Amino acid sequence: MSIYNAKFSNGLEIPVLGLGTYKEENEEVLIKAIKSAIQSGYRHFDCAHIYFNEQHIGKAIRESIAESNGSLKREDFFITSKCWNTFHSTQKVHLCLDQIIERLGLEYLDLYLIHWPMGFKEDAGDYPMGEDGKMIASDVHYLDTYKAMEECVRNGKAKSIGLSNFNIQQIQDVLNNCTIRPVCNQFEVNPLFRNEELVQFCQKNDIVVVAYAPLGAPDRAWLKSEDPVPLQHPIVLNLAKKHNKSPAQIILRWLLQRNIVVIPKSVNPGRIEENSKIFDFTLSDEDAAEFNNFKDQFRFYKFEVSDNHPFYPIPAHNIEKLAPVSLPKIDLAEFTSDGSFAWFWGLPKLVCLEFSKPNLVCQIFGKPKLVC
């Protein structure tokens, strides 16, 4: 069976399986991987300014089109790239996109994302670090960045725009202020980090979820020997044996059945082909329920050198870093709760209490945001 598409809110479509390209900068290796993926049916390639390899990806795609004797066209491909954190001001958003398109050798992107909601100091390198060992924040709000992204759609250089690594409140901010809706949010999802609340919020709001690190990023540079490995978890191994599939195929199929787009990263032609063979079997409801038995949840991407940024999107870290905030006494009769959230008018702003273990996350609505 061939790779099918998911539909965006704007009517355009995205292939549900793509190839992640993070980290690989070797031209020969990457070109071979891209061409192998194309031969295996991939048309969706996930790129980013900060991956430093878009020129090789573009070369592989252009060569594949030229070598296809007319059977492949640019329109057959779905190319995503991302605006890096040092390009959050209006002018820089456009500059970043222009540089991406030039490196790829293409006329437009199918999808342009804000890589993180955090803007860094501009014109000071890709990772401007302060004396405290943390990234230096810019004063650009992600809503201003998104407004510039909308112009990229209007000028035809991006077919669709979206978000990456945005949390629920940040997405809601964008939805409340945008004129062109974000079609997707790309963030970490895998068996050891199911990210249920964020997945459900996005899907409820017609925002396609794209999962990076779906297999747990086993080749990440910061891998520690004690870190859990989704591909080696007994539940995954048992399901792989039951269905005569690889552990990777089981995880990718589970995500697809949650209506999540997956972008596993590999440069190994054999694994690339193997990862594409996930459309000829189905996990039963009982099989899928097995993933609820992953007791421990482990986030592989934390970007901790930015955890002091005011728009750092991972609430648990913000709680640890910020001083406690004094809240008024809450009359339990004056708020409503659906089991996950509680709302009350105890301050001049509407306050939301999110009951998430092991922390209580408090978000005070309005700009600027406070996460305590």
Side-chain angles (χ1 to χ4, degrees):
M1 297 177 65
S2 60
I3 300 169
Y4 59 88
N5 294 339
K7 182 168 286 189
F8 285 148
S9 59
N10 62 5
L12 300 178
E13 298 182 344
I14 180 174
V16 296
L17 174 66
L19 185 70
T21 63
Y22 170 64
K23 202 175 84 167
E24 186 56 60
E25 297 180 41
N26 182 284
E27 178 178 1
E28 182 179 353
V29 170
L30 189 53
I31 288 178
K32 181 179 179 181
I34 297 297
K35 289 187 174 182
S36 174
I38 293 171
Q39 291 171 0
S40 296
Y42 290 73
R43 296 295 182 265
H44 172 187
F45 296 94
D46 184 77
C47 316
H49 169 89
I50 202 65
Y51 296 170
F52 306 117
N53 58 12
E54 289 172 319
Q55 66 275 21
H56 308 321
I57 297 167
K59 180 179 180 181
I61 291 172
R62 295 194 310 274
E63 287 183 355
S64 295
I65 292 173
E67 295 164 359
S68 72
N69 295 318
S71 63
L72 289 175
K73 307 181 297 296
R74 164 64 182 94
E75 294 74 19
D76 297 322
F77 291 89
F78 189 97
I79 311 300
T80 299
S81 194
K82 309 176 192 78
C83 179
W84 181 237
N85 304 5
T86 52
F87 291 83
H88 272 211
S89 65
T90 299
Q91 183 180 2
K92 295 290 188 179
V93 168
H94 293 281
L95 175 62
C96 186
L97 178 55
D98 288 340
Q99 291 178 354
I100 289 169
I101 290 173
E102 182 178 359
R103 284 193 296 269
L104 288 168
L106 304 174
E107 295 180 353
Y108 64 90
L109 286 181
D110 295 278
L111 180 60
Y112 190 32
L113 307 178
I114 303 178
H115 206 147
W116 289 84
M118 310 168 294
F120 294 164
K121 180 181 179 181
E122 299 184 351
D123 301 314
D126 293 311
Y127 294 95
M129 188 171 290
E131 294 181 358
D132 60 355
K134 301 292 185 179
M135 294 295 107
I136 302 173
S138 74
D139 60 356
V140 182
H141 196 284
Y142 52 81
L143 291 179
D144 296 321
T145 305
Y146 193 82
K147 189 174 296 184
M149 299 281 287
E150 292 177 325
E151 288 300 318
C152 296
V153 176
R154 296 187 183 102
N155 66 26
K157 293 182 180 179
K159 298 291 186 182
S160 301
I161 53 175
L163 312 170
S164 180
N165 297 301
F166 277 55
N167 64 31
I168 289 175
Q169 183 53 44
Q170 291 166 341
I171 299 168
Q172 190 64 61
D173 282 345
V174 173
L175 292 175
N176 290 345
N177 291 278
C178 67
T179 57
I180 298 177
R181 288 176 58 89
V183 297
C184 84
N185 187 26
Q186 183 182 128
F187 53 91
E188 181 180 346
V189 191
N190 55 65
L192 285 170
F193 190 60
R194 295 194 299 275
N195 226 337
E196 296 280 4
E197 288 186 14
L198 186 53
V199 169
Q200 291 174 14
F201 177 85
C202 289
Q203 292 179 340
K204 180 180 178 181
N205 285 277
D206 204 12
I207 296 172
V208 170
V209 174
V210 179
Y212 70 71
L215 306 178
D219 64 343
R220 64 193 181 280
W222 56 94
L223 176 68
K224 298 178 182 178
S225 58
E226 66 270 21
D227 288 348
V229 182
L231 291 168
Q232 297 176 7
H233 196 284
I235 289 175
V236 174
L237 295 177
N238 288 337
L239 288 172
K241 183 178 180 180
K242 175 181 177 180
H243 290 275
N244 195 28
K245 292 289 184 178
S246 72
Q249 289 171 321
I250 293 296
I251 292 174
L252 295 174
R253 184 68 208 180
W254 167 68
L255 289 165
L256 284 185
Q257 289 183 206
R258 292 177 67 194
N259 297 316
I260 294 174
V261 174
V262 292
I263 47 172
K265 182 261 177 184
S266 180
V267 293
N268 181 302
R271 291 198 194 100
I272 289 171
E273 182 180 11
E274 178 184 272
N275 289 344
S276 72
K277 294 181 178 179
I278 54 176
F279 301 96
D280 59 351
F281 75 105
T282 302
L283 297 176
S284 68
D285 291 343
E286 181 179 333
D287 292 336
E290 286 291 314
F291 286 88
N292 297 329
N293 294 321
F294 279 76
K295 299 302 181 185
D296 298 323
Q297 292 290 279
F298 184 89
R299 187 188 291 267
F300 293 98
Y301 285 84
K302 300 176 184 177
F303 210 169
E304 291 171 303
V305 292
S306 298
D307 62 7
N308 62 337
H309 195 288
F311 299 137
Y312 185 67
I314 303 174
H317 286 259
N318 280 347
I319 291 169
E320 296 168 2
K321 297 298 178 182
L322 295 180
V325 174
S326 297
L327 292 176
K329 182 179 179 180
I330 304 172
D331 182 349
L332 295 183
E334 294 181 358
F335 73 83
T336 60
S337 171
D338 64 1
S340 299
F341 297 91
W343 304 84
F344 70 97
W345 287 97
L347 292 173
K349 298 287 186 181
L350 178 63
V351 175
C352 170
L353 296 182
E354 178 185 353
F355 299 102
S356 58
K357 297 179 181 179
N359 299 297
L360 179 64
V361 179
C362 164
Q363 297 207 6
I364 300 177
F365 286 69
K367 181 180 172 181
K369 298 295 170 295
L370 172 64
V371 182
C372 55

